[in-house]
PDB file of all heavy atoms in Angstrom:
ATOM      1  N   VAL A  15      -6.572   1.355  15.088  1.00 96.00           N
ATOM      2  CA  VAL A  15      -6.426   1.563  13.610  1.00 96.00           C
ATOM      3  C   VAL A  15      -6.116   0.381  12.874  1.00 96.00           C
ATOM      4  O   VAL A  15      -5.345  -0.525  13.338  1.00 96.00           O
ATOM      5  CB  VAL A  15      -5.180   2.594  13.401  1.00 96.00           C
ATOM      6  CG1 VAL A  15      -5.087   2.886  11.922  1.00 96.00           C
ATOM      7  CG2 VAL A  15      -5.281   3.836  14.286  1.00 96.00           C
ATOM      8  N   LEU A  16      -6.804   0.219  11.713  1.00 96.00           N
ATOM      9  CA  LEU A  16      -6.571  -0.911  10.911  1.00 96.00           C
ATOM     10  C   LEU A  16      -5.404  -0.778   9.983  1.00 96.00           C
ATOM     11  O   LEU A  16      -5.327   0.151   9.251  1.00 96.00           O
ATOM     12  CB  LEU A  16      -7.738  -1.271  10.063  1.00 96.00           C
ATOM     13  CG  LEU A  16      -7.757  -2.562   9.090  1.00 96.00           C
ATOM     14  CD1 LEU A  16      -7.707  -3.718   9.965  1.00 96.00           C
ATOM     15  CD2 LEU A  16      -9.027  -2.562   8.264  1.00 96.00           C
ATOM     16  N   PHE A  17      -4.449  -1.636  10.122  1.00 94.00           N
ATOM     17  CA  PHE A  17      -3.157  -1.629   9.306  1.00 94.00           C
ATOM     18  C   PHE A  17      -3.026  -2.863   8.554  1.00 94.00           C
ATOM     19  O   PHE A  17      -3.598  -3.932   8.836  1.00 94.00           O
ATOM     20  CB  PHE A  17      -1.899  -1.604  10.215  1.00 94.00           C
ATOM     21  CG  PHE A  17      -1.674  -0.198  10.868  1.00 94.00           C
ATOM     22  CD1 PHE A  17      -2.148   0.027  12.181  1.00 94.00           C
ATOM     23  CD2 PHE A  17      -1.184   0.865  10.130  1.00 94.00           C
ATOM     24  CE1 PHE A  17      -2.015   1.233  12.725  1.00 94.00           C
ATOM     25  CE2 PHE A  17      -0.862   2.070  10.789  1.00 94.00           C
ATOM     26  CZ  PHE A  17      -1.343   2.314  12.085  1.00 94.00           C
ATOM     27  N   LEU A  18      -2.322  -2.735   7.490  1.00 93.00           N
ATOM     28  CA  LEU A  18      -1.872  -3.981   6.756  1.00 93.00           C
ATOM     29  C   LEU A  18      -0.379  -4.205   6.974  1.00 93.00           C
ATOM     30  O   LEU A  18       0.487  -3.331   6.739  1.00 93.00           O
ATOM     31  CB  LEU A  18      -2.043  -3.654   5.186  1.00 93.00           C
ATOM     32  CG  LEU A  18      -1.647  -4.721   4.256  1.00 93.00           C
ATOM     33  CD1 LEU A  18      -2.458  -5.920   4.328  1.00 93.00           C
ATOM     34  CD2 LEU A  18      -1.669  -4.166   2.768  1.00 93.00           C
ATOM     35  N   GLN A  19      -0.073  -5.326   7.475  1.00 90.00           N
ATOM     36  CA  GLN A  19       1.281  -5.851   7.696  1.00 90.00           C
ATOM     37  C   GLN A  19       1.711  -6.407   6.370  1.00 90.00           C
ATOM     38  O   GLN A  19       1.312  -7.550   5.992  1.00 90.00           O
ATOM     39  CB  GLN A  19       1.408  -6.830   8.851  1.00 90.00           C
ATOM     40  CG  GLN A  19       2.793  -7.421   9.040  1.00 90.00           C
ATOM     41  CD  GLN A  19       3.682  -6.341   9.648  1.00 90.00           C
ATOM     42  OE1 GLN A  19       3.474  -5.862  10.749  1.00 90.00           O
ATOM     43  NE2 GLN A  19       4.873  -6.124   8.993  1.00 90.00           N
ATOM     44  N   LYS A  20       2.502  -5.687   5.576  1.00 82.00           N
ATOM     45  CA  LYS A  20       2.952  -6.188   4.305  1.00 82.00           C
ATOM     46  C   LYS A  20       3.893  -7.367   4.377  1.00 82.00           C
ATOM     47  O   LYS A  20       4.657  -7.479   5.424  1.00 82.00           O
ATOM     48  CB  LYS A  20       3.739  -5.104   3.541  1.00 82.00           C
ATOM     49  CG  LYS A  20       2.967  -3.751   3.310  1.00 82.00           C
ATOM     50  CD  LYS A  20       2.126  -3.828   2.120  1.00 82.00           C
ATOM     51  CE  LYS A  20       2.946  -3.609   0.856  1.00 82.00           C
ATOM     52  NZ  LYS A  20       2.202  -3.479  -0.352  1.00 82.00           N
ATOM     53  N   LYS A  21       3.701  -8.280   3.420  1.00 76.00           N
ATOM     54  CA  LYS A  21       4.586  -9.448   3.403  1.00 76.00           C
ATOM     55  C   LYS A  21       6.053  -9.001   3.323  1.00 76.00           C
ATOM     56  O   LYS A  21       6.329  -8.102   2.608  1.00 76.00           O
ATOM     57  CB  LYS A  21       4.181 -10.338   2.240  1.00 76.00           C
ATOM     58  CG  LYS A  21       2.875 -11.038   2.412  1.00 76.00           C
ATOM     59  CD  LYS A  21       2.546 -11.903   1.287  1.00 76.00           C
ATOM     60  CE  LYS A  21       1.178 -12.568   1.396  1.00 76.00           C
ATOM     61  NZ  LYS A  21       0.874 -13.378   0.291  1.00 76.00           N
ATOM     62  N   THR A  22       6.869  -9.771   3.951  1.00 73.00           N
ATOM     63  CA  THR A  22       8.310  -9.452   3.988  1.00 73.00           C
ATOM     64  C   THR A  22       8.916  -9.343   2.570  1.00 73.00           C
ATOM     65  O   THR A  22       9.710  -8.381   2.320  1.00 73.00           O
ATOM     66  CB  THR A  22       9.086 -10.466   4.867  1.00 73.00           C
ATOM     67  OG1 THR A  22       8.525 -10.603   6.106  1.00 73.00           O
ATOM     68  CG2 THR A  22      10.597 -10.115   4.915  1.00 73.00           C
ATOM     69  N   GLY A  23       8.511 -10.193   1.683  1.00 68.00           N
ATOM     70  CA  GLY A  23       9.138 -10.163   0.340  1.00 68.00           C
ATOM     71  C   GLY A  23       8.416  -9.158  -0.616  1.00 68.00           C
ATOM     72  O   GLY A  23       8.728  -9.162  -1.779  1.00 68.00           O
ATOM     73  N   SER A  24       7.513  -8.420  -0.101  1.00 66.00           N
ATOM     74  CA  SER A  24       6.768  -7.482  -1.041  1.00 66.00           C
ATOM     75  C   SER A  24       7.687  -6.484  -1.592  1.00 66.00           C
ATOM     76  O   SER A  24       8.740  -5.992  -1.082  1.00 66.00           O
ATOM     77  CB  SER A  24       5.619  -6.668  -0.194  1.00 66.00           C
ATOM     78  OG  SER A  24       4.688  -7.471   0.170  1.00 66.00           O
ATOM     79  N   ARG A  25       7.473  -6.154  -2.834  1.00 70.00           N
ATOM     80  CA  ARG A  25       8.304  -5.239  -3.735  1.00 70.00           C
ATOM     81  C   ARG A  25       8.280  -3.842  -3.094  1.00 70.00           C
ATOM     82  O   ARG A  25       9.299  -3.083  -3.132  1.00 70.00           O
ATOM     83  CB  ARG A  25       7.900  -5.281  -5.128  1.00 70.00           C
ATOM     84  CG  ARG A  25       8.746  -4.531  -6.165  1.00 70.00           C
ATOM     85  CD  ARG A  25       8.303  -4.824  -7.582  1.00 70.00           C
ATOM     86  NE  ARG A  25       6.908  -4.595  -7.748  1.00 70.00           N
ATOM     87  CZ  ARG A  25       6.404  -3.505  -8.267  1.00 70.00           C
ATOM     88  NH1 ARG A  25       7.165  -2.448  -8.619  1.00 70.00           N
ATOM     89  NH2 ARG A  25       5.125  -3.345  -8.490  1.00 70.00           N
ATOM     90  N   PHE A  26       7.149  -3.330  -2.645  1.00 70.00           N
ATOM     91  CA  PHE A  26       7.042  -2.062  -2.158  1.00 70.00           C
ATOM     92  C   PHE A  26       6.753  -2.021  -0.598  1.00 70.00           C
ATOM     93  O   PHE A  26       5.694  -2.690  -0.152  1.00 70.00           O
ATOM     94  CB  PHE A  26       5.801  -1.244  -2.793  1.00 70.00           C
ATOM     95  CG  PHE A  26       5.536   0.104  -2.394  1.00 70.00           C
ATOM     96  CD1 PHE A  26       6.500   1.099  -2.770  1.00 70.00           C
ATOM     97  CD2 PHE A  26       4.492   0.446  -1.697  1.00 70.00           C
ATOM     98  CE1 PHE A  26       6.331   2.434  -2.375  1.00 70.00           C
ATOM     99  CE2 PHE A  26       4.232   1.824  -1.253  1.00 70.00           C
ATOM    100  CZ  PHE A  26       5.128   2.724  -1.641  1.00 70.00           C
ATOM    101  N   LEU A  27       7.623  -1.553   0.147  1.00 64.00           N
ATOM    102  CA  LEU A  27       7.516  -1.474   1.635  1.00 64.00           C
ATOM    103  C   LEU A  27       7.366  -2.795   2.324  1.00 64.00           C
ATOM    104  O   LEU A  27       6.506  -2.961   3.240  1.00 64.00           O
ATOM    105  CB  LEU A  27       6.473  -0.547   2.100  1.00 64.00           C
ATOM    106  CG  LEU A  27       6.589   0.947   1.696  1.00 64.00           C
ATOM    107  CD1 LEU A  27       5.249   1.697   2.107  1.00 64.00           C
ATOM    108  CD2 LEU A  27       7.738   1.457   2.430  1.00 64.00           C
ATOM    109  N   GLY A  28       8.027  -3.833   1.799  1.00 62.00           N
ATOM    110  CA  GLY A  28       8.074  -5.106   2.388  1.00 62.00           C
ATOM    111  C   GLY A  28       8.382  -5.176   3.830  1.00 62.00           C
ATOM    112  O   GLY A  28       9.155  -4.572   4.311  1.00 62.00           O
ATOM    113  N   GLY A  29       7.466  -5.860   4.633  1.00 66.00           N
ATOM    114  CA  GLY A  29       7.662  -5.914   6.060  1.00 66.00           C
ATOM    115  C   GLY A  29       7.136  -4.789   6.795  1.00 66.00           C
ATOM    116  O   GLY A  29       7.024  -4.831   8.093  1.00 66.00           O
ATOM    117  N   HIS A  30       6.699  -3.698   6.091  1.00 82.00           N
ATOM    118  CA  HIS A  30       6.249  -2.468   6.828  1.00 82.00           C
ATOM    119  C   HIS A  30       4.674  -2.640   7.256  1.00 82.00           C
ATOM    120  O   HIS A  30       3.892  -3.358   6.573  1.00 82.00           O
ATOM    121  CB  HIS A  30       6.294  -1.340   5.947  1.00 82.00           C
ATOM    122  CG  HIS A  30       7.567  -0.743   5.968  1.00 82.00           C
ATOM    123  ND1 HIS A  30       8.718  -1.299   5.352  1.00 82.00           N
ATOM    124  CD2 HIS A  30       8.146   0.426   6.556  1.00 82.00           C
ATOM    125  CE1 HIS A  30       9.745  -0.528   5.545  1.00 82.00           C
ATOM    126  NE2 HIS A  30       9.447   0.491   6.330  1.00 82.00           N
ATOM    127  N   LEU A  31       4.279  -1.872   8.249  1.00 92.00           N
ATOM    128  CA  LEU A  31       2.962  -1.743   8.673  1.00 92.00           C
ATOM    129  C   LEU A  31       2.522  -0.455   7.993  1.00 92.00           C
ATOM    130  O   LEU A  31       3.096   0.552   8.168  1.00 92.00           O
ATOM    131  CB  LEU A  31       2.870  -1.556  10.172  1.00 92.00           C
ATOM    132  CG  LEU A  31       1.595  -1.682  10.976  1.00 92.00           C
ATOM    133  CD1 LEU A  31       1.129  -3.159  10.826  1.00 92.00           C
ATOM    134  CD2 LEU A  31       1.881  -1.459  12.427  1.00 92.00           C
ATOM    135  N   VAL A  32       1.364  -0.627   7.093  1.00 92.00           N
ATOM    136  CA  VAL A  32       0.990   0.598   6.330  1.00 92.00           C
ATOM    137  C   VAL A  32      -0.572   0.733   6.498  1.00 92.00           C
ATOM    138  O   VAL A  32      -1.263  -0.189   6.785  1.00 92.00           O
ATOM    139  CB  VAL A  32       1.311   0.376   4.912  1.00 92.00           C
ATOM    140  CG1 VAL A  32       2.816   0.286   4.643  1.00 92.00           C
ATOM    141  CG2 VAL A  32       0.695  -0.878   4.324  1.00 92.00           C
ATOM    142  N   PRO A  33      -1.115   1.953   6.281  1.00 95.00           N
ATOM    143  CA  PRO A  33      -2.482   2.125   6.159  1.00 95.00           C
ATOM    144  C   PRO A  33      -3.030   1.383   4.954  1.00 95.00           C
ATOM    145  O   PRO A  33      -2.264   1.068   4.096  1.00 95.00           O
ATOM    146  CB  PRO A  33      -2.673   3.594   6.134  1.00 95.00           C
ATOM    147  CG  PRO A  33      -1.401   4.197   5.692  1.00 95.00           C
ATOM    148  CD  PRO A  33      -0.416   3.196   6.116  1.00 95.00           C
ATOM    149  N   VAL A  34      -4.269   1.175   4.993  1.00 95.00           N
ATOM    150  CA  VAL A  34      -4.946   0.487   3.801  1.00 95.00           C
ATOM    151  C   VAL A  34      -4.821   1.525   2.655  1.00 95.00           C
ATOM    152  O   VAL A  34      -5.237   2.683   2.832  1.00 95.00           O
ATOM    153  CB  VAL A  34      -6.416  -0.012   4.164  1.00 95.00           C
ATOM    154  CG1 VAL A  34      -6.997  -0.524   2.904  1.00 95.00           C
ATOM    155  CG2 VAL A  34      -6.406  -0.943   5.196  1.00 95.00           C
ATOM    156  N   GLY A  35      -4.523   1.081   1.508  1.00 95.00           N
ATOM    157  CA  GLY A  35      -4.498   1.934   0.315  1.00 95.00           C
ATOM    158  C   GLY A  35      -3.394   1.635  -0.633  1.00 95.00           C
ATOM    159  O   GLY A  35      -2.705   0.575  -0.513  1.00 95.00           O
ATOM    160  N   GLY A  36      -3.214   2.459  -1.638  1.00 92.00           N
ATOM    161  CA  GLY A  36      -2.303   2.326  -2.663  1.00 92.00           C
ATOM    162  C   GLY A  36      -2.285   3.289  -3.745  1.00 92.00           C
ATOM    163  O   GLY A  36      -2.798   4.424  -3.507  1.00 92.00           O
ATOM    164  N   HIS A  37      -1.658   3.006  -4.837  1.00 94.00           N
ATOM    165  CA  HIS A  37      -1.555   3.896  -5.887  1.00 94.00           C
ATOM    166  C   HIS A  37      -2.978   4.196  -6.607  1.00 94.00           C
ATOM    167  O   HIS A  37      -3.735   3.347  -6.763  1.00 94.00           O
ATOM    168  CB  HIS A  37      -0.581   3.405  -6.954  1.00 94.00           C
ATOM    169  CG  HIS A  37       0.818   3.310  -6.451  1.00 94.00           C
ATOM    170  ND1 HIS A  37       1.352   2.204  -5.859  1.00 94.00           N
ATOM    171  CD2 HIS A  37       1.839   4.190  -6.521  1.00 94.00           C
ATOM    172  CE1 HIS A  37       2.568   2.383  -5.472  1.00 94.00           C
ATOM    173  NE2 HIS A  37       2.815   3.556  -5.842  1.00 94.00           N
ATOM    174  N   ILE A  38      -3.026   5.420  -7.071  1.00 96.00           N
ATOM    175  CA  ILE A  38      -4.235   5.886  -7.797  1.00 96.00           C
ATOM    176  C   ILE A  38      -3.994   5.564  -9.290  1.00 96.00           C
ATOM    177  O   ILE A  38      -2.895   5.635  -9.820  1.00 96.00           O
ATOM    178  CB  ILE A  38      -4.328   7.455  -7.768  1.00 96.00           C
ATOM    179  CG1 ILE A  38      -4.604   7.807  -6.251  1.00 96.00           C
ATOM    180  CG2 ILE A  38      -5.389   8.030  -8.701  1.00 96.00           C
ATOM    181  CD1 ILE A  38      -4.872   9.289  -6.019  1.00 96.00           C
ATOM    182  N   GLU A  39      -4.969   4.836  -9.820  1.00 95.00           N
ATOM    183  CA  GLU A  39      -4.934   4.207 -11.152  1.00 95.00           C
ATOM    184  C   GLU A  39      -5.421   5.273 -12.237  1.00 95.00           C
ATOM    185  O   GLU A  39      -6.173   6.253 -11.807  1.00 95.00           O
ATOM    186  CB  GLU A  39      -5.649   3.020 -11.272  1.00 95.00           C
ATOM    187  CG  GLU A  39      -4.912   1.898 -10.325  1.00 95.00           C
ATOM    188  CD  GLU A  39      -5.555   0.616 -10.454  1.00 95.00           C
ATOM    189  OE1 GLU A  39      -6.675   0.447 -11.053  1.00 95.00           O
ATOM    190  OE2 GLU A  39      -5.157  -0.304  -9.718  1.00 95.00           O
ATOM    191  N   ASP A  40      -5.238   4.980 -13.471  1.00 92.00           N
ATOM    192  CA  ASP A  40      -5.730   5.741 -14.550  1.00 92.00           C
ATOM    193  C   ASP A  40      -7.299   5.886 -14.336  1.00 92.00           C
ATOM    194  O   ASP A  40      -8.032   4.908 -14.027  1.00 92.00           O
ATOM    195  CB  ASP A  40      -5.452   5.090 -15.957  1.00 92.00           C
ATOM    196  CG  ASP A  40      -4.090   5.199 -16.291  1.00 92.00           C
ATOM    197  OD1 ASP A  40      -3.378   6.122 -15.787  1.00 92.00           O
ATOM    198  OD2 ASP A  40      -3.586   4.416 -17.127  1.00 92.00           O
ATOM    199  N   GLY A  41      -7.707   7.127 -14.599  1.00 92.00           N
ATOM    200  CA  GLY A  41      -9.204   7.370 -14.423  1.00 92.00           C
ATOM    201  C   GLY A  41      -9.674   7.741 -13.073  1.00 92.00           C
ATOM    202  O   GLY A  41     -10.699   8.168 -12.830  1.00 92.00           O
ATOM    203  N   GLU A  42      -8.674   7.737 -12.114  1.00 91.00           N
ATOM    204  CA  GLU A  42      -8.972   8.048 -10.653  1.00 91.00           C
ATOM    205  C   GLU A  42      -8.249   9.310 -10.208  1.00 91.00           C
ATOM    206  O   GLU A  42      -8.454   9.802  -9.125  1.00 91.00           O
ATOM    207  CB  GLU A  42      -8.643   6.935  -9.714  1.00 91.00           C
ATOM    208  CG  GLU A  42      -9.379   5.603  -9.999  1.00 91.00           C
ATOM    209  CD  GLU A  42      -8.812   4.514  -9.129  1.00 91.00           C
ATOM    210  OE1 GLU A  42      -7.546   4.572  -8.660  1.00 91.00           O
ATOM    211  OE2 GLU A  42      -9.637   3.628  -8.864  1.00 91.00           O
ATOM    212  N   HIS A  43      -7.385   9.879 -11.130  1.00 89.00           N
ATOM    213  CA  HIS A  43      -6.583  11.020 -10.714  1.00 89.00           C
ATOM    214  C   HIS A  43      -7.306  12.282 -10.115  1.00 89.00           C
ATOM    215  O   HIS A  43      -6.859  12.942  -9.296  1.00 89.00           O
ATOM    216  CB  HIS A  43      -5.638  11.436 -11.839  1.00 89.00           C
ATOM    217  CG  HIS A  43      -4.553  10.382 -11.855  1.00 89.00           C
ATOM    218  ND1 HIS A  43      -4.607   9.413 -12.802  1.00 89.00           N
ATOM    219  CD2 HIS A  43      -3.318  10.177 -11.178  1.00 89.00           C
ATOM    220  CE1 HIS A  43      -3.533   8.613 -12.739  1.00 89.00           C
ATOM    221  NE2 HIS A  43      -2.806   9.031 -11.709  1.00 89.00           N
ATOM    222  N   ASN A  44      -8.551  12.502 -10.622  1.00 93.00           N
ATOM    223  CA  ASN A  44      -9.440  13.586 -10.172  1.00 93.00           C
ATOM    224  C   ASN A  44     -10.285  13.201  -9.115  1.00 93.00           C
ATOM    225  O   ASN A  44     -11.239  14.094  -8.691  1.00 93.00           O
ATOM    226  CB  ASN A  44     -10.148  14.155 -11.331  1.00 93.00           C
ATOM    227  CG  ASN A  44      -9.276  14.919 -12.319  1.00 93.00           C
ATOM    228  OD1 ASN A  44      -8.221  15.493 -11.889  1.00 93.00           O
ATOM    229  ND2 ASN A  44      -9.504  14.809 -13.611  1.00 93.00           N
TER     230      ASN A  44
END
């Protein structure tokens, strides 16, 4: 599985191993 190892100082989930992705932006909610 491809993971993103977040930088330790990241504001959101710093230091965590996360799947690729993120927040849905305006215009993408549907």
